[in-house]
Amino acid sequence: MMERASAKAVWRHTRPLLRPVRTLYVAAGVAVTLSMLITLAGPALVRYAVDAGIRKHDVHPLNVAALIFLGLAVLKPFVVRAQILLAATAGERFLDSLRVAAFDKLQALPLGFFERERAGVLVSRLTSDVQSLNELVRDALVEIVGSGLQIVLTVVALTFLSPKLALISLVALPILIASSWSFHHGAGRAYHAIRDRVAETLTVLQEGLAGVRVVQAFRREAKTLDRYRPRSQAQVRAWRRASFVNIRLFAFLPLAQASALIVVLLAAASMYRRGEISIGTITAFVLYLIQLFDPIGRFTEWLGEFRQGLAALAKIVGLLEVPTPIEERAGAVALPREGVLALREVTFGYAEGRPVVRELTLELHPGEHVALVGATGAGKSTVAKLLTRQYDPQEGRIELGGVDLRHATLDSLHRRIVLLPQEGHLFSGTIADNVRLAHPGATDEEVRSALRRIGRARPFRVAAGRIGDGRADARRAPISR
């Protein structure tokens, strides 16, 4: 079963995926730092213009401040553009690597895994969970660093301008601490709950669509809707709870900002009357104080996105952490091209202590056609899965040409023993694409020959004009019969 991965496992799997894009992330970090420095230059220029220009009735400092401000205003859009492009490029490359790794893992897992896991949950891992990571890898990682650095440098600037006013502005600190603690205390559980509810909703939706013919045949539309509705409502409630968690923080940020500004302005007025501070310094301090709460809000907001992204990433890594029960052993050998396929006193059960196959001995010689006949649940499909090593027997052994399948290379096993399921499936593409699935290099004549052997070459030629050019997809069930 898939479980939520630990932080250590998440780091272990994401570190090699981040390594190829770390240069892009560093460049994006440099761009966001430069953008932040441009923003911080504004109040300092205002202070210079007020104290050196307006108070002294000197136009030159005003012109200098205005020109520098104009230059920075022109430069900033280019810096922000570079930041967005670099972070987006790095994020999309990381997501591509993660999707490929997850899909590759799914293909390596045996059929037994897919029989236990719900298809909707697996779809959720590769779609909605990956999509939830979009904000994290494109913006949140870089913005958290930039906002954190801006908070630190703004506090330094406030302290430099007036240590006394900086100390007074700490009146807002208890409000910020209380609201931030309340937010982060509930954010983790809220975002993990959203991921679980999304997976459950997709599971019911996928099952309903996959079995739509049965649903309509037995007039079960209302029952299927009754199964879907509570999952959808549970997802809405999960998002609502996450919204209430967000309110705990963002509703109190304006209160903290207003409290700090009121106290600072009252103290600054008293200091100005005593000649302890200039008008320019007060103006710059107030502007920096206003700017301080903007990165605090963005920092906490991005931390929320970060928590949501980590919740989704933990789910995806949980899939990557699923152990592969059927692995190629060290020193494995290739299976012979021909030989007797034999089961020697094989016992196997899906659950401990409940064998489905008991001490089965069977030999299949080259050229033989053997049919297993029995009641539903007798173990016919289980024998087929054991022969293709979807599972290993708990007792006994299975051999081809005297070689135990557990000691064979997986490549030779898949080439020598093939399981053809009862249900036909057509992949999107042409008929020829589907015929060439196991042999991509097959010629047109080989495709015709294969279709002739199943008595289907003429219908396809007539319908498509040229053999194998007709489109096929999973919805065209009659083609697969």
Side-chain angles (χ1 to χ4, degrees), residues 14-73:
T14 55
R15 183 171 55 185
L17 300 180
L18 286 171
R19 192 174 295 120
V21 296
R22 61 185 175 186
T23 303
L24 290 172
Y25 272 124
V26 170
V30 171
V32 76
T33 302
L34 183 57
S35 174
M36 177 265 301
L37 291 175
I38 292 174
T39 301
L40 290 176
L45 289 172
V46 170
R47 180 196 182 197
Y48 171 72
V50 171
D51 286 345
I54 295 176
R55 290 188 63 193
K56 298 179 180 180
H57 304 286
D58 188 353
V59 178
H60 178 70
L62 289 175
N63 291 335
V64 170
L67 288 174
I68 295 175
F69 205 95
L70 179 62
L72 294 177

Side-chain angles (χ1 to χ4, degrees), residues 352-406:
E352 190 69 29
R354 298 176 59 186
V356 177
V357 176
R358 297 178 179 85
E359 299 181 0
L360 175 63
T361 297
L362 175 66
E363 290 189 355
L364 307 175
H365 293 269
E368 278 191 323
H369 293 75
V370 178
L372 298 180
V373 181
T376 300
K380 305 182 297 297
S381 298
T382 301
V383 171
K385 294 171 184 175
L386 290 170
L387 289 173
T388 52
R389 209 187 166 203
Q390 300 300 327
Y391 299 94
D392 282 332
Q394 278 121 19
E395 297 179 17
R397 53 188 288 166
I398 303 174
E399 303 173 347
L400 175 62
V403 178
D404 192 323
L405 298 188
R406 289 171 292 197

Side-chain angles (χ1 to χ4, degrees), residues 39 147 150-151 253 257 288-301:
T39 301
S147 297
Q150 184 175 350
I151 291 170
L253 276 180
Q257 184 181 42
Y288 275 126
L289 188 60
I290 293 172
Q291 283 188 359
L292 176 63
F293 285 89
D294 178 53
I296 288 176
R298 284 189 288 110
F299 183 80
T300 309
E301 184 179 1

Side-chain angles (χ1 to χ4, degrees), residues 7 17 31 58 106 113 158 279 318 342 408:
L17 300 180
D58 188 353
L106 281 175
F113 171 82
L158 290 172
I279 290 292

